[in-house]
Amino acid sequence: MTAPLTPPPPPHGHSAQGSWQPPDAGPVAPGSQHAEYAGPGWYGQDGPGMKTELREAAVIAVAVALGGVLLGVLWWWLAPHVPLVGDVVEKNWVVFLKDTEGEQAIGVDGTFTLLGLAFGAVSAVVVFLLRRRGGVPLVVGLALGGLLGSLLAWRLGVWLGPAEDVIAHAREAGRGVTFDAPLKLGAKGALLAWPLAALVLHLGLMALFGPRDPEPEFPSGPYPQPPAGNER
């Protein structure tokens, strides 16, 4: 009689198929919601969900846009006045610029542009200090809020300024009497001063002082190798 043939036992520490398992990733840090081992050189970092980022971006957009109220008041207060004068020509009222070579109209646009740049810088710094981690929704909300704030400031300044019906204003003031022209934004490109300044400055602050991605951590010591008998 012959003894039955039995296969040799598998190598110690390995499965029957000879597969090699990666080393243990170690204990999970407390407070982490997701943790999985992806192999050496890989790491994961939890952050706020997309819904949270969108909600924060919407709040920032509304808050920045409300700053347009202050911009509109400052524009109405600081912008130079454009003098007009009314006269009667062939029984019809006409309105002329009192100083045809004056630069008051350019000063009105320049004042709005400078104020928009200042408000863009302030809003970018405040948003960066409150939300240092940044993110695409945050940047979009900041730029959108700046644009809405500029539109709000423009319409508010026009509403606070002199009446837009210059003929009625000239009749009320009288013939040859100087009165102020309505507040008017001639260069509509000035509306982009606030969002562009906020966008550029915020991106610059993120590049200089924003959080950095952590370096990948490699386990110390040599990695275990599969036995030589399993190589093919």
Side-chain angles (χ1 to χ4, degrees):
M1 296 180 65
T2 59
L5 299 178
T6 58
H12 179 68
H14 300 280
S15 62
Q17 290 79 9
S19 62
W20 174 71
Q21 300 294 332
D24 188 10
V28 179
S32 61
Q33 298 178 354
H34 306 281
E36 61 179 357
Y37 181 79
W42 291 84
Y43 60 91
Q45 183 178 5
D46 294 333
M50 181 58 65
K51 291 183 179 180
T52 303
E53 292 187 1
L54 292 176
R55 183 168 58 251
E56 292 179 352
V59 171
I60 288 175
V62 173
V64 172
L66 291 178
V69 175
L70 180 58
L71 175 57
V73 173
L74 291 176
W75 181 47
W76 163 70
W77 182 37
L78 298 176
H81 302 283
V82 179
L84 300 177
V85 61
D87 198 359
V88 178
V89 178
E90 297 181 355
K91 298 182 181 181
N92 293 323
W93 278 91
V94 292
V95 177
F96 304 95
L97 286 171
K98 184 177 181 180
D99 186 6
T100 57
E101 297 181 359
E103 298 181 355
Q104 292 88 348
I106 300 176
V108 173
D109 295 344
T111 302
F112 190 94
T113 302
L114 293 177
L115 289 174
L117 293 175
F119 272 68
V122 172
S123 59
V125 172
V126 172
V127 170
F128 173 76
L129 294 177
L130 294 178
R131 295 290 184 269
R132 285 181 175 269
R133 63 176 175 266
V136 175
L138 182 70
V139 176
V140 174
L142 177 61
L144 180 60
L147 180 59
L148 294 177
S150 295
L151 293 173
L152 177 61
W154 170 39
R155 299 313 305 171
L156 179 62
V158 172
W159 179 74
L160 292 175
E164 296 187 62
D165 191 348
V166 293
I167 298 297
H169 199 172
R171 289 176 178 174
E172 182 181 355
R175 183 176 182 179
V177 178
T178 303
F179 62 95
D180 294 333
L183 201 58
K184 180 181 179 182
L185 188 63
K188 298 301 187 293
L191 296 171
L192 300 177
W194 185 346
L196 289 180
L199 182 62
V200 172
L201 183 57
H202 186 270
L203 293 179
L205 291 174
M206 287 296 301
L208 294 176
F209 308 107
R212 299 292 187 269
D213 293 334
E215 295 293 336
E217 297 181 0
F218 297 93
S220 59
Y223 296 107
Q225 301 293 333
N230 291 337
E231 295 181 356
R232 296 181 179 179

